[in-house]
Amino acid sequence: MISPSFISPNIKITDTITIDITGMKCAGCVKAVERQIIQQQGIVSANVNLITAVALVQYESSIVQPETLAQKLTAIGFPSQVRVIDEDFENPQEKIREKRRLEQKTQQYQLISAILLLIFSSIGHLHHLGFHSLHWLSNIWFHWGLATASLLIPGREILLNGWQGLWQKKPNMNSLVGLGTTFAYVASCVALLYPSLGWECFFDEPVMLLGFIFLGRVLESRARNRAIESLEDLLSLRPQFARLVGKINSNQDQGLEIPAIQVKPEEWVRVLSGEQFPVDGIIMEGETTVDESLLTGESLPVFKRQGDKVYAGTINNGDMVILEAVNTGKNTALSQIIATVENAQTRKAPVQKMADTVSGYFTYTIISIALLVFSFWYFWGTQIWSHLLLELDTSRTILSLKLAIDVLVIACPCALGLATPTAILVGTTTGAENGLLIKGGDVLEQVKNLSSIVFDKTGTLTQGYPQLENVVTFSQHSDKEILQIASSLEISANHPLAKAILNHANKLSLDVLPMESFANQAGKGVKGKLADDWFYLGNRSWLQNNSIELDSTIILQCEQWTKEGKTVVYLGKNSDLIGLITLSDQIRPDAKSTVKTLQNMGLDVIMMSGDQPLTTQYIAEKLGIDTYYGGLTPSQKSDLIAELQKNSKNIVAMVGDGINDTPAMTTAQFSIALNQGSEIAIKTAGIVLTTGKLKDVVTAINLSKLTLRKIQQNLFWALSYNLMAIPLASGFFLPKYQILLNPATAGALMALSSIIVVTNSLLLKNSARKFLN
């Protein structure tokens, strides 16, 4: 035990909370929220996600009160609430459904508002087409009333949020829209009250602008809902109920049906045919076949009997079984998969952090440009091109104001804010649907410079457990008889070699022989008597200890097998050797093709192992791997990764499955784990292959590259849009081509840019099909 005097008083105890946030509309909002959180004392880090409206905050528990943090966010215009994880887990589907119901109501309200605003604002432009017969609908006071009502009722939230952002020195998209609509409305009111000024009234522009804003948000929201459907589908796979039974006379107990999340470890649960397993557990009574396609992707059912493990969410295809709960609630394998997907969406790629930072300052830049545009046209532009005022039938003030408003509206940074999170959201959920858990955007971004991929041998390139490879006989006994005798001697053993022999005998339906007088010696072998004959099964020294000598030719052959990584089990009868059984950790069926594909992709494939160098060499040559290292300790594996990374341009990926691989996986820039591996390896990895198929390493790399490409496409579009839109809105083409946008058209273009970005992200699923199928 460490004495308290050795505990440093400077050690900071940190905790992590999740905060649900409403009111965020763009990347500027994200930056404002992050800035508000980070500036609080005791905050270690904060990640805010626009799509899921969630903030993941790491803080010093002795300083920060989570509820106080949420209250401060609410005070600056972002209503927030600390998420209680256990409550969220209790009924996640219902919470998401309720959220979506509220979202749908908001969508309906915004859609109706958009349609009405666009219809009535369009009426104000009918006179341009020669229609003058609508009487009072064309009256300027009607349009004043419409604009006033539009700003005070449907537009109220946008205006308040936008001006609040400006007041807090955290401007956002709503700030730009609010400035544009307010200036247009005020200028029109001045023109209406003081007609002698000769200004033009354009009450219809702010109304139409709000209409396009609402329409864009409806389409954008629907696109986002489609993007998170995969997560909702995963949540729906969680079993809801469990039938609890007592451990004594369990078959006579009718059972008590309780919520699955209330089952405790070590309690017994009955699962009927056709039902989902409610928890991860061990079968205590019965045998059945289980559909594990949910976790492994394999359509063939898996046979399970007493002592085998089953997982929550998989389906009992056979007879009724009783199992003892091991992992329940949020600790089940299925819940961990869901949690991984959720967490992945709160982890940002460095490119997204850059985009959020740019968006945060973007609003200030656009406001400055709008002021410059107004000043230029008011003081110089209308003087240089004075004929434009006559041709456009407008005044200097109105023209300058319109162009400034166009700049404010058309450059809203929505697309920039949506570029990264939508692509990551679709990429991670697409991966989860296909057995790939990508834990965050920061993982994705490492793939672009990937140069080397290092594989652990045992359990990664190989199956990780011994399998019977060959039976050799030296007597009148057939191969099946040798195996039958060996399995009868091992019937009660529980070590890996015994399991491999028994499994193979079961596959051949070999009966158990009535052995007597069992005796065994740990690490050596076992003996038993059948009729009048003694049989000995074990290693070479076990047979020699029991006076059975081996031929030198056989010894040389067995030594060669040992160099190839095979284990030899000897079977003797009385004083003679009658057979051999070789077992080996066999290479995964898809290992060679996976290695070849990665090499063709230009990656340097390396293998390392704690196994003896000769065995490592044999496996490497079988797989076509030129660089390999054997006999390594866990720390030496880590050192090897660090050595490969000395060249700063080298991005190294590590693929492993065991606890001994964890140091190397942590050292690598990013790591990949097989789901059958140890829990710590899975938690360390940036990507987890839940199907256990090694070829999914290639799929994970391809999906990561494709997702990153989508992010880059989105950012390119968002930035290119502004490079084209701002000159267009500022009147750059007005003198020569007389192209003049009105604020409503600017709003429509802004909404269209966001929709294009979200739609492009959704197309990622279609692009991924070529290598997911």
Side-chain angles (χ1 to χ4, degrees):
M1 178 178 293
I2 299 176
S3 170
S5 61
F6 288 101
I7 300 177
S8 170
N10 296 321
I11 292 177
K12 299 177 181 179
I13 301 175
T14 62
D15 202 352
T16 303
I17 57 168
T18 301
I19 301 178
D20 292 309
I21 305 170
T22 56
M24 294 192 299
K25 305 297 182 186
C26 66
C29 299
V30 171
K31 195 63 183 177
V33 171
E34 283 188 348
R35 192 159 53 240
Q36 176 65 27
I37 296 173
I38 289 294
Q39 70 185 13
Q40 305 299 320
Q41 184 181 4
I43 298 297
V44 178
S45 66
N47 276 329
V48 181
N49 186 277
L50 176 65
I51 300 299
T52 55
V54 163
L56 191 67
V57 183
Q58 187 180 8
Y59 64 99
E60 294 178 39
S61 54
S62 61
I63 299 176
V64 177
Q65 293 294 326
E67 291 296 340
T68 303
L69 194 60
Q71 290 169 6
K72 289 184 178 180
L73 291 175
T74 302
I76 66 166
F78 299 101
S80 305
Q81 186 175 6
V82 176
R83 178 183 293 185
V84 181
I85 297 176
D86 288 339
E87 289 181 1
D88 280 351
F89 182 80
E90 186 173 355
N91 200 348
Q93 297 100 309
E94 185 55 38
K95 291 181 184 294
I96 285 186
R97 291 190 193 104
E98 181 62 27
K99 188 174 182 180
R100 292 189 69 179
R101 281 194 290 267
L102 292 174
E103 182 76 15
Q104 287 170 355
K105 287 183 179 179
T106 303
Q107 285 179 16
Q108 291 172 359
Y109 169 75
Q110 290 179 336
L111 182 59
I112 293 172
S113 299
I115 293 172
L116 292 176
L117 293 175
L118 291 173
I119 289 175
F120 283 111
S121 60
S122 299
I123 292 173
H125 293 282
L126 290 178
H127 67 278
H128 295 298
L129 302 176
F131 294 96
H132 300 279
S133 58
L134 296 176
H135 305 296
W136 65 272
L137 289 177
S138 299
N139 187 281
I140 190 63
W141 288 99
F142 167 77
H143 290 284
W144 169 82
L146 177 62
T148 303
S150 300
L151 293 174
L152 292 179
I153 302 175
R156 182 172 178 270
E157 180 188 354
I158 292 176
L159 294 178
L160 289 177
N161 183 267
W163 286 106
Q164 193 172 30
L166 284 172
W167 181 259
Q168 298 284 342
K169 297 181 180 179
K170 300 177 179 68
N172 52 43
M173 184 197 84
N174 288 339
S175 300
L176 296 179
V177 176
L179 285 171
T181 54
T182 302
F183 287 158
Y185 176 77
V186 171
S188 298
C189 286
V190 172
L192 179 62
L193 295 175
Y194 301 98
S196 60
L197 293 173
W199 290 10
E200 176 188 354
C201 288
F202 48 99
F203 287 116
D204 298 309
E205 267 67 15
V207 176
M208 188 172 285
L209 170 58
L210 288 174
F212 278 122
I213 292 291
F214 285 131
L215 182 61
R217 288 186 179 179
V218 169
L219 297 176
E220 183 184 297
S221 178
R222 288 183 176 179
R224 285 202 303 262
N225 283 342
R226 285 177 55 200
I228 63 173
E229 282 179 359
S230 298
L231 180 58
E232 187 175 359
D233 291 341
L234 281 175
L235 288 170
S236 68
L237 296 174
R238 281 177 172 161
Q240 298 300 309
F241 298 99
R243 193 174 289 100
L244 206 62
V245 297
K247 293 185 179 181
I248 301 174
N249 297 325
S250 57
N251 286 321
Q252 299 175 16
D253 187 352
Q254 292 184 353
L256 177 66
E257 196 171 271
I258 65 171
I261 61 170
Q262 294 183 10
V263 178
K264 297 179 180 179
E266 298 184 2
E267 290 184 325
W268 283 22
V269 176
R270 178 186 293 127
V271 182
L272 305 180
S273 178
E275 291 184 341
Q276 279 185 306
F277 288 96
V279 295
D280 294 354
I282 303 293
I283 292 180
M284 307 303 293
E285 298 179 12
E287 54 184 38
T288 186
T289 55
V290 179
D291 179 359
E292 292 188 335
S293 58
L294 168 69
L295 297 179
T296 66
E298 294 294 339
S299 57
L300 294 176
V302 180
F303 178 73
K304 301 282 185 177
R305 59 183 176 183
Q306 185 175 345
D308 289 338
K309 191 169 186 178
V310 292
Y311 298 93
T314 59
I315 300 172
N316 180 13
N317 278 350
D319 297 329
M320 181 272 292
V321 293
I322 293 174
L323 61 140
E324 181 176 271
V326 175
N327 296 319
T328 63
K330 62 185 177 183
N331 296 318
T332 64
L334 176 60
S335 295
Q336 292 297 316
I337 290 174
I338 295 171
T340 300
V341 176
E342 291 178 312
N343 291 336
Q345 293 157 9
T346 63
R347 287 175 59 176
K348 292 184 182 177
V351 68
Q352 183 182 353
K353 293 178 181 178
M354 180 194 71
D356 288 349
T357 301
V358 170
S359 297
Y361 294 104
F362 186 76
T363 303
Y364 288 113
T365 304
I366 294 304
I367 293 174
S368 301
I369 291 174
L371 290 173
L372 288 173
V373 167
F374 177 86
S375 300
F376 171 80
W377 283 101
Y378 187 83
F379 293 107
W380 297 287
T382 50
Q383 302 293 332
I384 298 171
W385 299 289
S386 57
H387 65 281
L388 291 174
L389 297 178
L390 293 173
E391 293 173 356
L392 298 173
D393 188 23
T394 187
S395 67
R396 178 176 64 170
T397 303
I398 293 299
L399 178 61
S400 304
L401 191 60
K402 267 191 173 183
L403 290 170
I405 292 171
D406 286 347
V407 172
L408 288 172
V409 172
I410 206 168
C412 289
C414 304
L416 192 62
L418 292 169
T420 299
T422 51
I424 290 176
L425 187 69
V426 177
T428 53
T429 51
T430 299
E433 288 174 346
N434 292 275
L436 307 173
L437 298 185
I438 302 171
K439 293 185 179 179
D442 49 343
V443 177
L444 296 171
E445 194 155 355
Q446 298 287 357
V447 175
K448 65 181 178 181
N449 296 320
L450 183 62
S451 57
S452 302
I453 184 163
V454 181
F455 286 91
D456 170 60
K457 179 183 76 69
T458 307
T460 304
L461 290 171
T462 65
Q463 299 284 9
Y465 54 87
Q467 292 179 280
L468 191 144
E469 187 174 272
N470 199 14
V471 177
V472 181
T473 181
F474 301 110
S475 63
Q476 73 276 13
H477 293 285
S478 66
D479 293 353
K480 283 188 176 181
E481 288 174 336
I482 296 292
L483 181 59
Q484 185 179 29
I485 295 169
S487 62
S488 300
L489 288 167
E490 296 279 28
I491 192 63
S492 59
N494 195 36
H495 56 82
L497 296 178
K499 287 182 178 179
I501 293 172
L502 288 168
N503 287 338
H504 203 80
N506 288 335
K507 288 179 182 178
L508 298 177
S509 301
L510 300 178
D511 295 331
V512 178
L513 300 174
M515 290 282 181
E516 299 175 351
S517 304
F518 278 106
N520 67 78
Q521 184 176 348
K524 293 287 187 178
V526 62
K527 67 178 181 180
K529 190 176 183 181
L530 178 63
D532 295 327
D533 297 313
W534 280 95
F535 291 90
Y536 306 89
L537 182 73
N539 57 27
R540 188 196 310 175
S541 63
W542 174 244
L543 266 66
Q544 290 173 338
N545 291 343
N546 287 280
S547 303
I548 300 176
E549 295 298 325
L550 304 181
D551 184 88
S552 59
T553 304
I554 294 176
I555 292 175
L556 288 173
Q557 179 60 60
C558 291
E559 287 177 349
Q560 178 59 37
W561 284 333
T562 302
K563 290 178 182 179
E564 296 173 1
K566 299 174 184 178
T567 300
V568 182
V569 177
Y570 303 81
L571 177 64
K573 178 180 179 182
N574 297 323
S575 59
D576 299 317
L577 176 70
I578 62 171
L580 300 173
I581 298 174
T582 62
L583 304 101
S584 65
D585 180 10
Q586 296 184 2
I587 295 172
R588 289 179 179 269
D590 55 351
K592 189 170 185 177
S593 61
T594 300
V595 168
K596 184 66 175 177
T597 302
L598 292 169
Q599 290 171 336
N600 291 339
M601 291 167 64
L603 297 176
D604 184 16
V605 180
I606 300 168
M607 187 182 78
M608 62 183 182
S609 176
D611 205 347
Q612 57 179 319
L614 285 176
T615 302
T616 304
Q617 178 183 349
Y618 176 77
I619 297 296
E621 290 174 350
K622 282 274 189 179
L623 295 174
I625 298 175
D626 296 327
T627 307
Y628 50 87
Y629 303 87
L632 300 179
T633 64
S635 61
Q636 287 173 330
K637 290 181 179 180
S638 178
D639 293 341
L640 174 60
I641 296 292
E643 183 68 25
L644 294 171
Q645 292 172 331
K646 279 188 176 180
N647 184 340
S648 59
K649 294 183 179 180
N650 283 351
I651 298 296
V652 180
M654 170 68 191
V655 186
D657 75 311
I659 295 174
N660 64 323
D661 300 325
T662 305
M665 294 172 72
T666 305
T667 304
Q669 278 97 336
F670 77 96
S671 52
I672 302 173
L674 276 69
N675 197 45
Q676 294 87 343
S678 70
E679 183 177 352
I680 189 170
I682 292 171
K683 287 184 176 180
T684 300
I687 300 175
V688 180
L689 313 180
T690 65
T691 64
K693 298 175 183 175
L694 201 61
K695 66 177 184 179
D696 282 346
V697 171
V698 177
T699 306
I701 292 172
N702 284 331
L703 181 60
S704 299
K705 287 183 175 180
L706 184 59
T707 305
L708 185 61
R709 196 175 305 132
K710 282 294 178 186
I711 293 173
Q712 293 167 339
Q713 289 172 3
N714 288 346
L715 290 173
F716 174 79
W717 164 252
L719 294 171
S720 299
Y721 159 78
N722 282 293
L723 289 175
M724 294 183 293
I726 292 174
L728 181 65
S730 63
F732 184 82
F733 301 103
L734 183 56
K736 187 174 182 179
Y737 301 104
Q738 293 191 2
I739 296 177
L740 174 64
L741 300 180
N742 58 50
T745 305
L749 290 173
M750 181 273 294
L752 181 62
S753 69
S754 297
I755 295 168
I756 290 174
V757 164
V758 175
T759 303
N760 186 51
S761 295
L762 292 170
L763 292 175
L764 190 151
K765 275 194 173 185
N766 293 330
S767 303
R769 285 176 183 167
K770 61 184 178 182
F771 55 78
L772 288 174
N773 293 335

